[in-house]
Coordinates of all heavy atoms in Angstrom, one line a residue:
Q310 N -3.8 138.1 184.6 CA -5.2 138.0 184.4 C -5.8 139.4 184.1 O -5.6 140.4 184.8 CB -5.9 137.5 185.7 CG -7.3 137.5 185.7 CD -7.9 137.0 187.0 OE1 -7.2 136.5 187.9 NE2 -9.2 137.2 187.2
T311 N -6.4 139.5 183.0 CA -7.0 140.8 182.5 C -8.5 140.5 182.1 O -8.8 139.4 181.8 CB -6.2 141.4 181.4 OG1 -6.2 140.5 180.3 CG2 -4.8 141.8 181.8
F312 N -9.2 141.6 182.0 CA -10.6 141.4 181.5 C -10.9 142.4 180.4 O -10.3 143.4 180.3 CB -11.6 141.5 182.7 CG -11.7 142.9 183.2 CD1 -12.8 143.7 182.7 CD2 -10.9 143.5 184.1 CE1 -12.9 145.0 183.2 CE2 -11.0 144.7 184.6 CZ -12.0 145.5 184.1
G313 N -11.9 142.0 179.6 CA -12.4 142.9 178.6 C -13.9 142.9 178.7 O -14.6 141.9 179.1
K314 N -14.6 144.0 178.4 CA -16.0 144.1 178.5 C -16.6 144.9 177.3 O -16.0 145.8 176.8 CB -16.3 144.9 179.8 CG -17.8 144.9 180.1 CD -18.0 145.4 181.5 CE -19.3 145.4 181.8 NZ -20.4 145.3 182.3
K315 N -17.7 144.3 176.8 CA -18.4 145.0 175.7 C -19.9 144.7 176.0 O -20.3 143.6 176.0 CB -18.0 144.4 174.4 CG -18.8 144.9 173.2 CD -18.5 146.3 172.9 CE -19.2 146.7 171.6 NZ -19.1 148.1 171.3
K316 N -20.6 145.8 176.2 CA -22.0 145.7 176.6 C -22.1 144.8 177.8 O -21.6 145.1 178.9 CB -22.9 145.2 175.5 CG -23.0 146.3 174.3 CD -23.9 145.8 173.3 CE -24.1 146.8 172.2 NZ -25.0 146.4 171.2
S317 N -22.8 143.7 177.7 CA -23.0 142.8 178.9 C -22.1 141.6 178.8 O -22.1 140.7 179.7 CB -24.4 142.3 179.0 OG -24.8 141.6 177.9
A318 N -21.2 141.5 177.8 CA -20.3 140.4 177.7 C -19.0 140.7 178.5 O -18.5 141.8 178.5 CB -19.9 140.1 176.2
L319 N -18.5 139.7 179.2 CA -17.3 139.9 180.0 C -16.4 138.7 179.7 O -16.8 137.5 179.8 CB -17.7 139.9 181.5 CG -16.6 140.0 182.5 CD1 -16.0 141.4 182.4 CD2 -17.0 139.8 183.9
A320 N -15.1 139.1 179.4 CA -14.1 138.1 179.1 C -12.9 138.2 180.0 O -12.5 139.4 180.3 CB -13.7 138.2 177.7
V321 N -12.4 137.1 180.5 CA -11.2 137.1 181.3 C -10.1 136.3 180.6 O -10.4 135.2 180.2 CB -11.5 136.5 182.7 CG1 -10.2 136.5 183.6 CG2 -12.6 137.3 183.4
A322 N -8.9 136.9 180.5 CA -7.8 136.2 179.7 C -6.6 136.0 180.6 O -6.3 136.9 181.4 CB -7.5 137.0 178.5
F323 N -6.0 134.9 180.4 CA -4.7 134.6 181.1 C -3.7 134.2 180.0 O -4.0 133.4 179.2 CB -4.9 133.3 182.0 CG -6.0 133.4 183.0 CD1 -7.2 133.0 182.8 CD2 -5.7 134.0 184.3 CE1 -8.2 133.0 183.7 CE2 -6.7 134.0 185.2 CZ -7.9 133.6 185.0
C324 N -2.5 134.8 180.1 CA -1.4 134.5 179.2 C -0.2 134.0 180.0 O 0.1 134.6 181.0 CB -1.0 135.8 178.4 SG -2.0 136.1 177.0
K325 N 0.4 133.0 179.4 CA 1.6 132.5 180.1 C 2.5 131.9 179.0 O 2.1 131.7 177.8 CB 1.3 131.4 181.1 CG 0.6 130.2 180.5 CD 0.4 129.2 181.6 CE -0.2 127.9 181.0 NZ -0.5 126.9 182.0
K326 N 3.8 131.7 179.3 CA 4.7 131.1 178.4 C 4.3 129.7 178.1 O 3.9 128.9 178.9 CB 6.1 131.1 179.0 CG 7.2 130.7 178.1 CD 8.5 130.9 178.7 CE 9.6 130.6 177.7 NZ 10.9 130.8 178.2
G327 N 4.3 129.4 176.8 CA 3.8 128.0 176.4 C 4.2 127.7 174.9 O 5.1 128.2 174.4
K328 N 3.2 127.0 174.3 CA 3.4 126.5 172.9 C 2.6 127.2 171.9 O 2.7 126.9 170.7 CB 3.1 125.0 172.9 CG 3.9 124.2 173.8 CD 3.5 122.7 173.7 CE 4.3 121.9 174.6 NZ 3.9 120.5 174.6
G329 N 1.8 128.2 172.3 CA 1.1 129.0 171.3 C -0.4 128.6 171.2 O -1.0 128.9 170.2
S330 N -0.9 127.9 172.1 CA -2.3 127.5 172.1 C -3.2 128.6 172.6 O -2.9 129.2 173.6 CB -2.6 126.2 172.8 OG -2.4 126.4 174.2
I331 N -4.4 128.8 172.0 CA -5.3 129.7 172.4 C -6.6 129.0 172.7 O -7.1 128.3 171.7 CB -5.5 130.8 171.4 CG1 -4.2 131.5 171.1 CG2 -6.6 131.8 171.9 CD1 -4.3 132.5 170.0
K332 N -7.2 129.0 173.9 CA -8.4 128.3 174.2 C -9.5 129.3 174.7 O -9.2 130.2 175.5 CB -8.2 127.3 175.2 CG -7.3 126.1 174.7 CD -7.4 125.0 175.6 CE -6.6 123.8 175.0 NZ -6.8 122.6 175.6
V333 N -10.7 129.2 174.2 CA -11.8 130.0 174.6 C -12.8 129.1 175.2 O -13.3 128.2 174.6 CB -12.4 130.8 173.4 CG1 -13.6 131.6 173.8 CG2 -11.4 131.7 172.7
N334 N -13.1 129.3 176.5 CA -14.0 128.5 177.3 C -13.6 127.0 177.2 O -14.5 126.1 177.1 CB -15.4 128.7 176.9 CG -16.0 130.0 177.4 OD1 -15.4 130.7 178.2 ND2 -17.1 130.5 176.8
G335 N -12.3 126.7 177.1 CA -11.9 125.3 177.1 C -11.8 124.7 175.7 O -11.3 123.6 175.5
F336 N -12.2 125.4 174.7 CA -12.2 124.9 173.3 C -11.1 125.6 172.5 O -10.8 126.8 172.7 CB -13.5 125.2 172.6 CG -14.7 124.4 173.1 CD1 -15.6 125.0 174.0 CD2 -14.8 123.1 172.9 CE1 -16.6 124.3 174.5 CE2 -15.9 122.3 173.4 CZ -16.8 123.0 174.2
A337 N -10.4 124.9 171.7 CA -9.4 125.5 170.8 C -9.9 126.5 169.9 O -11.1 126.4 169.5 CB -8.7 124.4 170.0
L338 N -9.1 127.5 169.5 CA -9.6 128.6 168.7 C -10.1 128.1 167.3 O -11.0 128.7 166.8 CB -8.5 129.6 168.5 CG -8.8 130.9 167.8 CD1 -9.9 131.7 168.7 CD2 -7.6 131.8 167.6
N339 N -9.5 127.1 166.8 CA -9.9 126.6 165.5 C -11.3 125.9 165.5 O -11.8 125.7 164.4 CB -8.8 125.7 164.9 CG -8.6 124.5 165.7 OD1 -9.2 124.3 166.7 ND2 -7.7 123.6 165.3
M340 N -11.8 125.7 166.6 CA -13.2 125.1 166.7 C -14.2 126.2 166.8 O -15.4 125.9 166.8 CB -13.3 124.2 167.9 CG -12.4 123.0 167.8 SD -12.6 121.9 169.2 CE -14.3 121.2 168.8
L341 N -13.8 127.4 166.9 CA -14.8 128.6 167.0 C -15.5 128.8 165.7 O -14.9 128.8 164.6 CB -14.0 129.8 167.4 CG -14.8 131.0 168.0 CD1 -15.4 130.5 169.3 CD2 -13.9 132.1 168.2
Q342 N -16.8 128.9 165.8 CA -17.6 129.2 164.6 C -18.3 130.5 164.7 O -18.7 130.9 165.8 CB -18.7 128.1 164.4 CG -18.1 126.7 164.1 CD -17.4 126.6 162.8 OE1 -17.8 127.3 161.9 NE2 -16.4 125.8 162.7
P343 N -18.6 131.3 163.7 CA -18.2 131.1 162.3 C -16.7 131.4 162.1 O -16.1 132.1 162.9 CB -19.0 132.1 161.6 CG -19.4 133.1 162.6 CD -19.5 132.4 163.9
Y344 N -16.1 130.8 161.1 CA -14.7 130.9 161.0 C -14.1 132.2 160.7 O -13.0 132.5 161.1 CB -14.2 129.9 159.8 CG -14.7 130.3 158.5 CD1 -13.9 131.1 157.7 CD2 -15.9 129.9 158.0 CE1 -14.3 131.5 156.4 CE2 -16.3 130.3 156.7 CZ -15.6 131.1 156.0 OH -16.0 131.5 154.7
H345 N -14.9 133.1 160.1 CA -14.3 134.5 159.8 C -14.2 135.3 161.1 O -13.6 136.4 161.1 CB -15.2 135.2 158.7 CG -16.6 135.4 159.1 ND1 -17.5 134.4 158.9 CD2 -17.2 136.4 159.7 CE1 -18.7 134.9 159.3 NE2 -18.5 136.1 159.8
I346 N -14.9 134.9 162.1 CA -14.8 135.6 163.4 C -13.4 135.4 164.0 O -12.9 136.2 164.8 CB -15.9 135.1 164.4 CG1 -17.3 135.5 163.9 CG2 -15.7 135.6 165.8 CD1 -17.5 136.9 163.8
R347 N -12.8 134.2 163.7 CA -11.4 134.0 164.3 C -10.4 135.0 163.9 O -9.5 135.4 164.7 CB -10.9 132.6 163.8 CG -11.6 131.5 164.5 CD -11.0 130.2 164.0 NE -12.1 129.4 163.4 CZ -12.0 128.6 162.4 NH1 -10.9 128.4 161.9 NH2 -13.1 128.0 162.0
D348 N -10.6 135.6 162.7 CA -9.6 136.6 162.3 C -9.7 137.8 163.2 O -8.7 138.5 163.4 CB -9.9 137.0 160.8 CG -9.7 135.9 159.9 OD1 -8.9 135.0 160.2 OD2 -10.3 135.9 158.8
K349 N -10.9 138.1 163.6 CA -11.1 139.3 164.5 C -10.4 139.0 165.9 O -9.8 139.9 166.5 CB -12.6 139.5 164.7 CG -13.0 140.9 165.1 CD -12.7 141.8 163.9 CE -13.4 143.1 164.1 NZ -12.8 144.1 163.3
L350 N -10.4 137.8 166.3 CA -9.8 137.5 167.6 C -8.3 137.5 167.5 O -7.6 137.7 168.5 CB -10.2 136.1 168.1 CG -11.7 136.0 168.5 CD1 -11.9 134.5 169.0 CD2 -12.0 136.9 169.6
L351 N -7.8 137.2 166.3 CA -6.3 137.1 166.2 C -5.7 138.5 165.9 O -4.5 138.6 165.7 CB -5.9 136.1 165.1 CG -6.2 134.7 165.4 CD1 -6.0 133.8 164.2 CD2 -5.4 134.2 166.6
E352 N -6.5 139.5 165.8 CA -5.9 140.9 165.5 C -4.8 141.3 166.5 O -3.8 141.9 166.1 CB -7.0 141.9 165.4 CG -7.8 141.9 164.1 CD -8.9 142.9 164.0 OE1 -9.1 143.6 165.0 OE2 -9.5 143.0 163.0
P353 N -4.9 141.1 167.8 CA -3.8 141.5 168.7 C -2.5 140.8 168.3 O -1.5 141.3 168.5 CB -4.3 141.1 170.1 CG -5.8 141.1 170.0 CD -6.1 140.6 168.6
F354 N -2.6 139.5 167.8 CA -1.4 138.8 167.4 C -0.8 139.4 166.2 O 0.4 139.2 165.9 CB -1.6 137.3 167.3 CG -1.7 136.6 168.6 CD1 -2.9 136.1 169.0 CD2 -0.6 136.5 169.5 CE1 -3.1 135.5 170.3 CE2 -0.7 135.9 170.7 CZ -1.9 135.4 171.1
L355 N -1.6 140.0 165.3 CA -1.0 140.6 164.1 C -0.1 141.7 164.3 O 0.8 142.0 163.5 CB -2.2 141.0 163.2 CG -3.1 140.0 162.6 CD1 -4.2 140.6 161.8 CD2 -2.4 139.0 161.8
L356 N -0.2 142.3 165.5 CA 0.7 143.4 165.9 C 2.1 142.9 166.3 O 3.0 143.7 166.5 CB 0.1 144.3 166.9 CG -1.2 144.9 166.5 CD1 -1.8 145.6 167.7 CD2 -1.1 145.9 165.4
L357 N 2.2 141.6 166.6 CA 3.4 141.0 167.1 C 4.1 140.3 166.0 O 3.6 140.0 165.0 CB 3.1 140.0 168.2 CG 2.3 140.5 169.5 CD1 2.0 139.3 170.4 CD2 3.2 141.5 170.2
D358 N 5.4 139.9 166.3 CA 6.1 139.0 165.4 C 5.5 137.6 165.5 O 4.9 137.3 166.6 CB 7.6 138.9 165.8 CG 8.3 140.3 165.6 OD1 7.8 141.0 164.8 OD2 9.2 140.5 166.3
T359 N 5.7 136.8 164.5 CA 5.1 135.5 164.6 C 5.9 134.6 165.6 O 5.3 133.7 166.2 CB 5.2 134.8 163.2 OG1 6.6 134.8 162.8 CG2 4.3 135.4 162.2
T360 N 7.1 134.9 165.9 CA 7.9 134.2 166.9 C 7.3 134.4 168.3 O 7.3 133.5 169.1 CB 9.4 134.6 166.9 OG1 9.5 136.0 167.1 CG2 10.0 134.2 165.6
D361 N 6.8 135.6 168.5 CA 6.2 135.9 169.9 C 4.9 135.2 170.1 O 4.6 134.8 171.2 CB 6.0 137.4 170.0 CG 7.3 138.2 170.1 OD1 8.3 137.6 170.5 OD2 7.3 139.4 169.9
K362 N 4.2 135.0 169.0 CA 2.9 134.3 169.1 C 3.1 132.9 169.5 O 2.3 132.3 170.3 CB 2.1 134.4 167.8 CG 0.8 133.6 167.8 CD 0.2 133.6 166.5 CE -1.1 132.8 166.5 NZ -1.7 132.6 165.2
L363 N 4.2 132.3 169.1 CA 4.4 130.8 169.3 C 4.7 130.6 170.8 O 4.7 129.5 171.3 CB 5.5 130.3 168.4 CG 5.2 130.4 166.9 CD1 6.4 129.9 166.1 CD2 3.9 129.6 166.6
N364 N 5.1 131.6 171.5 CA 5.6 131.4 172.9 C 4.5 131.7 173.9 O 4.8 131.6 175.1 CB 6.8 132.3 173.2 CG 8.0 132.0 172.3 OD1 8.1 130.8 171.9 ND2 8.8 132.9 172.0
I365 N 3.3 132.0 173.5 CA 2.2 132.4 174.5 C 1.1 131.4 174.4 O 0.6 131.1 173.4 CB 1.7 133.8 174.1 CG1 2.8 134.9 174.3 CG2 0.6 134.2 175.0 CD1 2.4 136.2 173.9
D366 N 0.7 130.9 175.6 CA -0.6 130.2 175.8 C -1.6 131.1 176.3 O -1.3 131.8 177.3 CB -0.4 129.0 176.7 CG 0.3 127.8 176.0 OD1 0.5 127.8 174.8 OD2 0.6 126.9 176.8
A367 N -2.8 131.2 175.8 CA -3.8 132.0 176.3 C -5.1 131.2 176.6 O -5.5 130.4 175.8 CB -4.2 133.1 175.2
R368 N -5.6 131.4 177.8 CA -6.9 130.9 178.2 C -7.8 132.0 178.4 O -7.6 132.9 179.1 CB -6.7 130.1 179.5 CG -5.9 128.8 179.3 CD -5.8 128.0 180.6 NE -5.3 128.9 181.6 CZ -5.6 128.8 182.9 NH1 -6.5 128.0 183.3 NH2 -5.1 129.7 183.8
I369 N -9.0 131.9 177.7 CA -10.0 133.0 177.8 C -11.3 132.4 178.2 O -11.7 131.4 177.7 CB -10.1 133.7 176.4 CG1 -8.7 134.2 176.0 CG2 -11.1 134.8 176.5 CD1 -8.6 134.4 174.5
F370 N -11.9 133.0 179.2 CA -13.3 132.6 179.7 C -14.2 133.8 179.4 O -13.9 134.9 179.8 CB -13.2 132.3 181.1 CG -12.3 131.2 181.5 CD1 -11.0 131.5 182.0 CD2 -12.6 129.9 181.2 CE1 -10.2 130.4 182.3 CE2 -11.8 128.8 181.5 CZ -10.5 129.1 182.0
V371 N -15.3 133.5 178.8 CA -16.2 134.6 178.4 C -17.7 134.2 178.7 O -18.0 133.0 178.6 CB -16.1 135.0 176.9 CG1 -16.4 133.8 176.0 CG2 -16.9 136.2 176.5
K372 N -18.5 135.1 179.2 CA -19.9 134.8 179.4 C -20.7 136.1 179.2 O -20.2 137.2 179.2 CB -20.1 134.3 180.9 CG -19.8 135.3 181.9 CD -20.1 134.7 183.3 CE -19.9 135.8 184.4 NZ -20.3 135.3 185.7
G373 N -22.0 135.9 179.0 CA -22.9 137.0 178.8 C -22.8 137.6 177.4 O -21.9 137.3 176.6
G374 N -23.8 138.4 177.0 CA -23.9 139.1 175.8 C -24.1 138.2 174.6 O -24.3 137.0 174.7
G375 N -24.1 138.8 173.4 CA -24.3 138.1 172.1 C -23.0 137.7 171.5 O -21.9 137.9 172.1
L376 N -23.0 137.2 170.3 CA -21.8 136.7 169.7 C -20.8 137.8 169.4 O -19.6 137.7 169.8 CB -22.2 136.0 168.3 CG -21.0 135.5 167.5 CD1 -20.3 134.4 168.2 CD2 -21.5 135.1 166.1
I377 N -21.3 138.9 168.8 CA -20.3 139.9 168.5 C -19.8 140.6 169.7 O -18.6 141.0 169.8 CB -21.0 141.0 167.5 CG1 -21.5 140.3 166.2 CG2 -20.1 142.1 167.2 CD1 -20.4 139.6 165.5
S378 N -20.6 140.8 170.7 CA -20.2 141.4 172.0 C -19.1 140.5 172.6 O -18.1 141.0 173.2 CB -21.3 141.7 172.9 OG -22.2 142.6 172.4
R379 N -19.3 139.3 172.6 CA -18.3 138.3 173.1 C -17.0 138.4 172.4 O -15.9 138.4 173.0 CB -18.9 136.9 173.1 CG -19.9 136.6 174.1 CD -20.3 135.1 173.9 NE -21.3 134.8 175.0 CZ -21.2 133.6 175.6 NH1 -20.4 132.7 175.3 NH2 -22.1 133.4 176.6
I380 N -17.1 138.5 171.1 CA -15.8 138.6 170.3 C -15.0 139.8 170.6 O -13.8 139.8 170.8 CB -16.2 138.6 168.8 CG1 -16.9 137.3 168.4 CG2 -15.0 138.8 167.9 CD1 -16.0 136.0 168.6
Y381 N -15.7 141.0 170.7 CA -15.0 142.2 171.1 C -14.5 142.2 172.5 O -13.4 142.7 172.8 CB -15.9 143.4 170.8 CG -16.0 143.8 169.4 CD1 -17.1 143.6 168.6 CD2 -14.9 144.3 168.7 CE1 -17.2 143.9 167.3 CE2 -14.9 144.7 167.4 CZ -16.1 144.4 166.7 OH -16.1 144.7 165.3
A382 N -15.2 141.6 173.4 CA -14.7 141.4 174.8 C -13.5 140.5 174.8 O -12.5 140.8 175.5 CB -15.8 140.9 175.7
I383 N -13.5 139.4 174.1 CA -12.4 138.5 174.0 C -11.2 139.2 173.5 O -10.0 139.1 174.0 CB -12.7 137.3 173.2 CG1 -13.7 136.4 174.0 CG2 -11.4 136.5 172.9 CD1 -14.3 135.3 173.1
R384 N -11.4 139.9 172.4 CA -10.3 140.7 171.7 C -9.6 141.7 172.7 O -8.4 141.8 172.7 CB -10.7 141.3 170.5 CG -9.6 141.9 169.6 CD -10.2 142.4 168.3 NE -10.9 143.6 168.5 CZ -11.2 144.5 167.6 NH1 -10.8 144.3 166.4 NH2 -11.9 145.6 167.9
Q385 N -10.4 142.4 173.4 CA -9.9 143.4 174.3 C -9.2 142.7 175.5 O -8.1 143.2 175.8 CB -11.1 144.2 174.9 CG -10.6 145.3 175.8 CD -11.8 146.1 176.4 OE1 -12.9 145.6 176.4 NE2 -11.5 147.3 176.9
A386 N -9.7 141.7 176.0 CA -9.0 141.0 177.1 C -7.7 140.4 176.7 O -6.7 140.4 177.4 CB -9.9 139.9 177.7
L387 N -7.7 139.8 175.5 CA -6.5 139.2 174.9 C -5.4 140.2 174.7 O -4.3 140.0 175.0 CB -6.9 138.4 173.6 CG -5.8 137.6 173.0 CD1 -5.2 136.5 174.0 CD2 -6.3 136.9 171.7
A388 N -5.8 141.3 174.1 CA -4.8 142.4 173.8 C -4.2 142.9 175.1 O -3.0 143.1 175.2 CB -5.5 143.5 173.1
K389 N -5.0 143.1 176.2 CA -4.5 143.6 177.4 C -3.6 142.5 178.1 O -2.5 142.8 178.6 CB -5.6 143.9 178.4 CG -6.4 145.1 178.1 CD -7.5 145.3 179.2 CE -8.3 146.5 179.0 NZ -9.4 146.6 180.1
S390 N -4.0 141.3 178.0 CA -3.2 140.2 178.5 C -1.8 140.0 177.9 O -0.8 139.8 178.5 CB -4.0 138.9 178.5 OG -3.3 137.9 179.1
I391 N -1.8 140.1 176.5 CA -0.5 140.1 175.8 C 0.4 141.2 176.2 O 1.6 141.1 176.4 CB -0.8 140.1 174.3 CG1 -1.5 138.8 173.9 CG2 0.5 140.2 173.5 CD1 -2.0 138.8 172.5
L392 N -0.2 142.4 176.3 CA 0.6 143.6 176.7 C 1.2 143.4 178.1 O 2.4 143.6 178.2 CB -0.3 144.8 176.7 CG 0.3 146.1 177.1 CD1 1.4 146.5 176.1 CD2 -0.7 147.2 177.2
L393 N 0.4 143.0 179.0 CA 1.0 142.8 180.4 C 2.0 141.6 180.4 O 3.0 141.7 181.1 CB -0.2 142.5 181.3 CG -1.1 143.7 181.7 CD1 -2.2 143.3 182.6 CD2 -0.3 144.8 182.3
Y394 N 1.8 140.6 179.6 CA 2.7 139.5 179.5 C 4.1 140.0 179.0 O 5.1 139.7 179.6 CB 2.2 138.4 178.6 CG 3.2 137.3 178.4 CD1 3.5 136.3 179.3 CD2 4.0 137.3 177.2 CE1 4.4 135.3 179.1 CE2 4.9 136.3 176.9 CZ 5.1 135.3 177.9 OH 6.0 134.3 177.6
H395 N 4.1 140.8 178.0 CA 5.3 141.3 177.4 C 6.0 142.3 178.4 O 7.2 142.4 178.5 CB 5.1 142.0 176.1 CG 5.0 140.9 175.0 ND1 6.1 140.2 174.5 CD2 4.0 140.5 174.3 CE1 5.7 139.4 173.6 NE2 4.4 139.5 173.4
L396 N 5.2 143.2 179.1 CA 5.8 144.1 180.0 C 6.4 143.3 181.2 O 7.5 143.7 181.6 CB 4.7 145.0 180.6 CG 4.2 146.1 179.6 CD1 3.0 146.9 180.3 CD2 5.3 147.1 179.3
K397 N 5.8 142.3 181.6 CA 6.4 141.5 182.7 C 7.7 140.8 182.3 O 8.6 140.8 183.0 CB 5.3 140.4 183.1 CG 5.7 139.7 184.4 CD 4.6 138.8 184.8 CE 4.9 137.4 184.7 NZ 3.8 136.5 185.1
C398 N 7.7 140.3 181.0 CA 8.9 139.7 180.5 C 10.1 140.6 180.4 O 11.2 140.3 180.7 CB 8.6 139.0 179.2 SG 7.6 137.5 179.4
F399 N 9.8 141.8 179.9 CA 10.8 142.8 179.7 C 11.3 143.4 181.0 O 12.5 143.8 181.1 CB 10.4 143.9 178.7 CG 10.3 143.4 177.3 CD1 9.1 143.6 176.6 CD2 11.4 142.8 176.7 CE1 9.1 143.1 175.3 CE2 11.3 142.3 175.4 CZ 10.1 142.5 174.7
I400 N 10.5 143.5 182.0 CA 10.9 144.0 183.3 C 11.9 143.0 184.0 O 12.8 143.4 184.6 CB 9.7 144.4 184.2 CG1 9.0 145.6 183.6 CG2 10.1 144.6 185.6 CD1 7.7 145.9 184.3
C401 N 11.6 141.7 183.8 CA 12.4 140.7 184.4 C 13.8 140.6 183.8 O 14.8 140.2 184.4 CB 11.8 139.3 184.3 SG 10.3 139.2 185.2
I402 N 14.0 141.1 182.5 CA 15.3 141.0 181.8 C 16.3 142.0 182.4 O 16.2 142.9 182.9 CB 15.1 141.2 180.3 CG1 14.4 140.0 179.8 CG2 16.4 141.3 179.6 CD1 14.0 140.0 178.3

């Protein structure tokens, strides 16, 4: 569980092993509008291999702030959560 903050927007992200689904406040990422904002949220995954993306389920809860502040808070929380997930996996090996 990690969090990201931008101005008054606060996002909490959970990552676990799964099928590659990303949900924001219970909704799938492909339902997020406007559609060009989704690319901003997926930037942390661009740094990974595509095989790693398929193994992570992410649940993100966000509240407060405006649209852009929420996007940046989600992106920060997601990046931290992915990093901690990978650190935890590599320590176990």
